[in-house]
Amino acid sequence: MSSDALRCEEVIEHLFEYLDRELEHVKSTEIERHLEHCRECFSRAEFEKRLRERVRATGEAVAPPRLRQRVQRLIARF
Amino acid sequence: MPHPGADKSKSLGRRERRELFERTVDRLMDRLYGAALRLAGDPDDAEDIVAEAVAKAWDGFGDLRDPGSLEGWLFRILNNTFISACRRRRTRAQVEQHTDPEIDDPSVIADFSLFEKLHQPFLLWWGTPEERFLNDLLREDLQRALNALPDAFRVVVILVEVQGHTYEEVADLLEIPIGTVRSRLSRGRSLLQRHLWDLAREEGMVPDTPGPTDSGSQP
């Protein structure tokens, strides 16, 4: 644990809100400072970030040609 | 003072409007389908949601004040179409909100952390179990784990993590309090990580030691 104001438990408690950019600026900055000094929390934050990137990537897909054709037919009727 | 783009779409002719609409839908089709697929968890349902959303979007396109906002507006309609379909059909999403023990009993999935399961202090990042886990994790594993989430949790996780919405936007879309968004997101993430841990053990990606599913305790 680092010597700054936040304890590791507090950082872990707010880590997802921090990654979601849902924290107030002051709290977010405190967490950033903690992560600069605490290897354990930094490793945890990096793991969660990379896992989130993988989850986000599951939203990437190629629409099937039949869906494109279906939508084209639909729009042609508009 | 009116919005700079106010009534611009109305000023376009019908053919121009339709061409703009068609171009935009065509450009976004992969993303719309991807979003619908993750929400619905089923390719056929995803196609129906996209088609229904496109039809609804066209119906309201003439009233859209700023054609430049068509992209965000289309995704909003897509999300609403999925949510409406869940409500209309009374699918698992609603049933599970009230009956699934994993939703009603927070202790079942409280605070499960993959990192805590995998992490071994004093190892350098590139040689750590968590790094190996992420490298071995297949897209298919994630899709299975996401699809296994109760709908009420999956929708919130997808809206935040895949689509990048704020908690407030999700609360607005789902018409639920922001505290419920936080709670479902937290439990959804926790359950997702537990599913991934179970999958990883099944696949032999991690040592087959007793997990919380078996023992109910953290290492």
Side-chain angles (χ1 to χ4, degrees):
Chain A
M1 181 184 150
S2 67
S3 58
D4 57 13
L6 280 186
R7 291 180 298 116
C8 293
E9 291 78 6
E10 290 176 85
V11 172
I12 291 166
E13 185 187 340
H14 295 291
L15 185 59
F16 281 108
E17 290 167 293
Y18 166 75
L19 296 174
D20 292 336
R21 301 176 191 277
E22 291 281 346
L23 289 177
E24 291 171 3
H25 179 69
V26 173
K27 192 78 168 178
S28 186
T29 304
E30 283 176 351
I31 289 180
E32 266 166 30
R33 283 201 194 118
H34 182 97
L35 294 178
E36 286 170 7
H37 299 291
C38 178
R39 190 177 302 279
E40 285 291 298
C41 289
F42 174 79
S43 294
R44 189 175 187 131
E46 285 301 300
F47 176 79
E48 299 298 352
K49 264 191 222 173
R50 288 193 54 194
L51 185 59
R52 284 160 53 90
E53 285 165 13
R54 298 294 304 275
V55 171
R56 185 176 299 127
T58 64
E60 295 166 6
V62 177
R66 70 174 182 184
L67 175 62
R68 286 190 177 274
Q69 288 162 7
R70 179 177 171 183
V71 169
Q72 280 164 4
R73 284 199 302 272
L74 190 67
I75 293 175
R77 296 209 304 264
F78 293 159
Chain B
M1 185 178 166
H3 186 279
D7 297 324
K8 200 173 167 186
S9 69
K10 280 184 176 171
S11 69
L12 298 173
R14 184 177 176 83
R15 202 180 76 182
E16 289 168 305
R17 277 198 299 131
R18 199 178 75 179
E19 284 173 0
L20 171 63
F21 185 81
E22 187 167 16
R23 274 200 312 276
T24 307
V25 168
D26 188 60
R27 179 171 57 83
L28 297 175
M29 183 55 73
D30 287 342
R31 286 176 54 202
L32 289 167
Y33 175 70
L37 183 60
R38 289 282 63 81
L39 284 169
D42 175 84
D44 290 337
D45 288 347
E47 289 184 33
D48 289 344
I49 289 165
V50 172
E52 189 180 334
V54 168
K56 281 182 185 169
W58 174 256
D59 283 345
F61 185 46
D63 296 325
L64 188 66
R65 294 172 67 82
D66 177 9
S69 64
L70 179 55
E71 181 172 328
W73 188 64
L74 265 167
F75 278 95
R76 189 175 179 86
I77 290 176
L78 182 89
N79 290 330
N80 278 324
T81 300
F82 169 75
I83 293 159
S84 300
C86 284
R87 288 177 181 146
R88 197 169 56 234
R89 295 176 202 159
R90 294 189 173 275
T91 57
R92 286 191 304 137
Q94 274 203 326
V95 175
E96 286 179 352
Q97 277 176 24
H98 302 291
T99 62
D100 193 309
E102 288 184 330
I103 292 179
D104 290 339
D105 181 4
S107 67
V108 175
I109 53 168
D111 299 330
F112 182 89
S113 164
L114 260 177
F115 180 81
E116 286 175 10
K117 283 285 175 195
L118 295 163
H119 184 61
Q120 292 173 19
F122 312 116
L123 289 179
L124 294 172
W125 164 254
W126 54 87
T128 59
E130 57 266 31
E131 171 70 356
R132 284 200 300 275
F133 171 85
L134 287 169
N135 288 341
D136 291 346
L137 189 64
L138 298 176
R139 178 188 169 96
E140 189 180 295
D141 297 329
L142 276 163
Q143 288 173 344
R144 278 175 63 195
L146 282 166
N147 289 348
L149 291 179
D151 286 356
F153 289 176
R154 190 179 68 253
V155 170
V156 175
V157 170
I158 297 298
L159 290 173
V160 172
E161 293 214 352
V162 178
Q163 296 191 23
H165 287 289
T166 65
Y167 297 174
E168 196 174 338
E169 287 168 346
V170 176
D172 186 37
L173 266 170
L174 299 178
E175 297 176 1
I176 55 177
I178 198 162
T180 307
V181 172
R182 288 177 188 277
S183 164
R184 288 185 189 177
L185 185 60
S186 171
R187 288 186 287 160
R189 280 171 164 155
S190 187
L191 188 55
L192 177 68
Q193 295 205 358
R194 195 184 75 180
H195 286 326
L196 288 173
W197 172 252
D198 290 342
L199 277 171
R201 286 201 302 156
E202 280 172 26
E203 301 291 330
M205 289 161 57
V206 292
D208 193 17
T209 52
T213 313
D214 310 311
S215 65
S217 62
Q218 298 286 326

